[in-house]
Amino acid sequence: MAAHTSQSVAKAAGDDVENDVAARGRSRRTDSDSGNRGENRGGKGASGLRRAVGTHWYAWAMVAPVVLVLGVIIGWPLVRGVYLSLTDATERNVSRTIGARHIEATYQFVGLDNYVDVLSDPVFLQRLVWTVVWTVACVSITFTLGLILANMLNREFRGRAAYRMALILPWAVPGFVSVFAWRFLFNRDNGILNKLLDGGGIAAIPWLDDPTWAKFSVVAVNVWLGVPFMMVALLGGLQSIPGELYEAAEMDGATAWQRFRHITLPGLRTVSMTVILLSTIWTFNMFPVIFLLTRGGPGDSTEILVTQAFREAFVSSPRDFAGSATWGVLILALLMIFALVYRRSLRKQGEVW
Amino acid sequence: MSTANTARPRGSRSPLASVALHATLVVASVIAVFPVLWIVLTSLKPAKHAVTTDFVKEPTLSNYTYLLEQSHFLSWFANSVLVAGITTVLGVFIAATTGYAVSRFKFPGMKPLMWTLLITQMFPMAILIVPLYNLMGDLGLLNQPLGLIITYLTIAVPFCAWMMKGFFDTIPVEIDESGRVDGLNPFGTFWRLILPLAKPGLAVTGFYAFITAWGEVAYASAFMVGEENLTLAGGLQTFVTQYTSNWGAMSAASVLIAIPAAIFFVFAQRHLVAGMTAGATKG
């Protein structure tokens, strides 16, 4: 599942965000509770800080390990990444140790030059457009298929459990394994897909060797990987919609489509919002599918922003660390803008998230 | 989760609709299962038949014996187990109290912390990979499992904390209150009352952390070089490169990698789904 590094995280996080949404009301209660406790203990005249420490030291002590770890292994590299993006660091001028000899770093601060270079290069726009197309295509198709399958599985019929098991199978296999499986199926000369087409008298399709087909293929594989999670999450959402609503609607003579439109969709709102946000972020950053299936190729036609950043530092020669950091910072900036816009639009619609 | 009371009653479905339902689900199931099945079948074929469309012809375990005896598969497997295992244990251990604190208390700094945890989940590895690579280089940890473990903690810690918060949220606050009445401080409440109740949640969190590290590709590809130092994600790539394509070995390795993950998954699946649906239901 990890080929999806991000995907499984996402699954986890999705799970959790839903729990979070669900449990929010409850935790609030404790909050006020601990607040009261604080007031009692603080007493009159104590300084604000001492009172805060007295009230909150338990909580602070509990979160300390994570804060420490985040600061050291995420915060510091993050700051350093931003700094690198303002330098001309490459593999030739960073500090390194060859045998026993240590060579000091000789790269220099160059200000925003890297950003100017990247942003003025048409390659950035190309990558950005394809990344957005890739993300929108993957998320919308995955969501639609997940919704259809969840609705089908949410009925009583024979064999339901078996179908369900079969349909979540792609989720149980580590992502990078699945991607290799697909690479095998897509193989131009020896892949089963082309052999089947051949059997039907259709000329072989260059699945991974032609820019357009390669784009189609990476989207198909990512959808295949993503549908099980989407389906399970939406199935959970569907089962939480009270059956009485459907009965009442049926009494009133609502058609199946009207029931779907006016009961199912609104009932799924919370879950949908969460899974769409998460899967958008994962897909945007989906490294393994592109990297393992096409290596960004043929040429650079399937390269998304994240794989481009990786290519700068670890594939192209000489390795351009500063350039890679610049791409990284730009990706992060784009995602944060997206998250803010998304959150604001939810808020406008009165969602808590 | 498939009890009768949760599914809405649908008395009538025409035979035609029934056929359409089953037909669609059969097609979807075939698409879901076939790639996996095909890899399993390929792994059992002798090399000369690897790329044929025959289902199974002259089944053999030669791909597996090749893999275990003549490739570095076992070292990759050991590396992956080591890295993913330690990442999981450390991740769950470090994050547990934080999950509890953000679930139960409201304290200054909580909101920024929650935001940090959330934002780090959407961090592209692209922003951290170069600084971490240079850092590991300076510390001499490139090509070392320890370097990869530290790196994976950047993924595991935020999401373990975030996920455990969700599980702690599902445990009634009344339990904490009763603990407090009995004179336990928050640490005592957490350790003696809440943690035992949260065991399934911790297991699921650990499972996710393990699977994430087990299948991570980008850091593993960049940080580990040299055949025997690779993890599985890196090792599998060596079977199918620009120059060689040993599909037989690749498929056998895939099967051996997928089996432990899938077994885990089948066991944890009920909890995963239950956790998810519980959350959604109350939402």
Side-chain angles (χ1 to χ4, degrees), chain B residues 10 16 36 41 47 61 73 76-77 88 98 108 111 142 144 150 154 168 180 183 185 194 216 229 260 272 279:
Chain B
R10 301 214 149 197
L16 194 66
V36 179
L41 293 178
L61 291 176
F73 183 80
W76 304 335
F77 204 91
T88 304
T98 298
K111 258 209 148 159
L142 283 181
Q144 305 280 337
I150 295 173
T154 64
F168 290 133
R180 216 168 286 145
N185 67 22
I194 303 299
E216 202 283 332
N229 295 324
L272 306 185

Side-chain angles (χ1 to χ4, degrees), chain A residues 44-67:
Chain A
K44 266 188 220 159
S47 78
L49 183 66
R50 197 184 308 159
R51 188 167 56 208
V53 171
T55 314
H56 300 299
W57 81 269
Y58 281 119
W60 283 340
M62 283 178 173
V63 301
V66 164
V67 172

Side-chain angles (χ1 to χ4, degrees), chain A residues 2 16 33 62 195 295 319, chain B residues 51 97 133 162 180 215 237:
Chain A
D16 174 38
D33 174 41
M62 283 178 173
K195 296 220 159 149
R295 299 253 157 194
R319 297 162 152 206
Chain B
V51 295
T97 53
Y133 180 82
W162 183 260
R180 216 168 286 145
Q237 294 178 44

Side-chain angles (χ1 to χ4, degrees), chain A residues 138-154:
Chain A
C138 287
V139 174
S140 54
I141 298 172
T142 310
F143 181 78
T144 310
L145 292 178
L147 185 61
I148 293 172
L149 292 172
N151 267 293
M152 293 185 145
L153 287 181
N154 193 35

Side-chain angles (χ1 to χ4, degrees), chain B:
Chain B
M1 61 181 266
S2 55
T3 48
N5 58 0
T6 52
R8 54 184 192 266
R10 301 214 149 197
S12 53
R13 179 160 52 231
S14 69
L16 194 66
S18 230
V19 170
L21 178 72
H22 281 279
T24 316
L25 285 171
V26 166
V27 171
S29 303
V30 168
I31 295 173
V33 172
F34 181 76
V36 179
L37 183 69
W38 191 244
I39 288 296
V40 175
L41 293 178
T42 303
S43 76
L44 296 171
K45 294 179 195 172
K48 58 181 176 187
H49 296 312
V51 295
T52 58
T53 47
D54 303 318
F55 258 55
V56 187
K57 203 174 179 186
E58 307 167 33
T60 163
L61 291 176
S62 62
N63 289 318
Y64 291 91
T65 49
Y66 166 82
L67 198 65
L68 298 177
E69 286 164 12
Q70 289 170 54
S71 78
H72 290 288
F73 183 80
L74 287 177
S75 357
W76 304 335
F77 204 91
N79 288 342
S80 279
V81 169
L82 183 73
V83 170
I86 297 182
T87 303
T88 304
V89 172
L90 284 179
V92 171
F93 185 75
I94 295 172
T97 53
T98 298
Y100 179 72
V102 291
S103 162
R104 293 301 205 252
F105 305 125
K106 195 186 181 95
F107 55 92
M110 174 180 160
K111 258 209 148 159
L113 179 64
M114 294 294 289
W115 272 105
T116 311
L117 293 178
L118 186 66
I119 290 171
T120 44
Q121 311 241 358
M122 57 168 105
F123 255 39
M125 57 77 197
I127 179 74
L128 292 182
I129 194 165
V130 167
L132 283 172
Y133 180 82
N134 292 341
L135 179 67
M136 295 304 162
D138 289 344
L139 296 175
L141 291 176
L142 283 181
N143 246 342
Q144 305 280 337
L146 180 61
L148 214 49
I149 291 169
I150 295 173
T151 305
Y152 287 169
L153 285 178
T154 64
I155 305 170
V157 167
F159 105 78
C160 284
W162 183 260
M163 194 167 168
M164 278 189 258
K165 175 198 182 293
F167 282 108
F168 290 133
D169 280 345
T170 62
I171 296 172
V173 172
E174 287 74 24
I175 293 177
D176 298 57
E177 284 159 5
S178 73
R180 216 168 286 145
V181 170
D182 291 343
L184 287 172
N185 67 22
F187 291 112
T189 313
F190 170 70
W191 185 252
R192 294 214 207 146
L193 300 180
I194 303 299
L195 211 51
L197 287 174
K199 265 184 198 152
L202 295 187
V204 174
T205 307
F207 165 76
Y208 274 128
F210 186 89
I211 284 302
T212 305
W214 186 248
E216 202 283 332
V217 174
Y219 289 118
S221 309
F223 288 13
M224 307 300 260
V225 287
E227 282 261 307
E228 72 278 6
N229 295 324
L230 299 175
T231 58
L232 291 168
L236 200 55
Q237 294 178 44
T238 65
F239 291 128
V240 187
T241 66
Q242 257 174 293
Y243 313 105
T244 61
S245 35
N246 188 344
W247 294 111
M250 188 282 290
S251 56
S254 298
V255 172
L256 293 183
I257 300 167
I259 285 175
I263 291 175
F264 254 146
F265 188 88
V266 169
F267 279 112
Q269 193 248 125
R270 196 170 291 272
H271 288 293
L272 306 185
V273 176
M276 205 173 282
T277 48
T281 318
K282 283 172 237 144

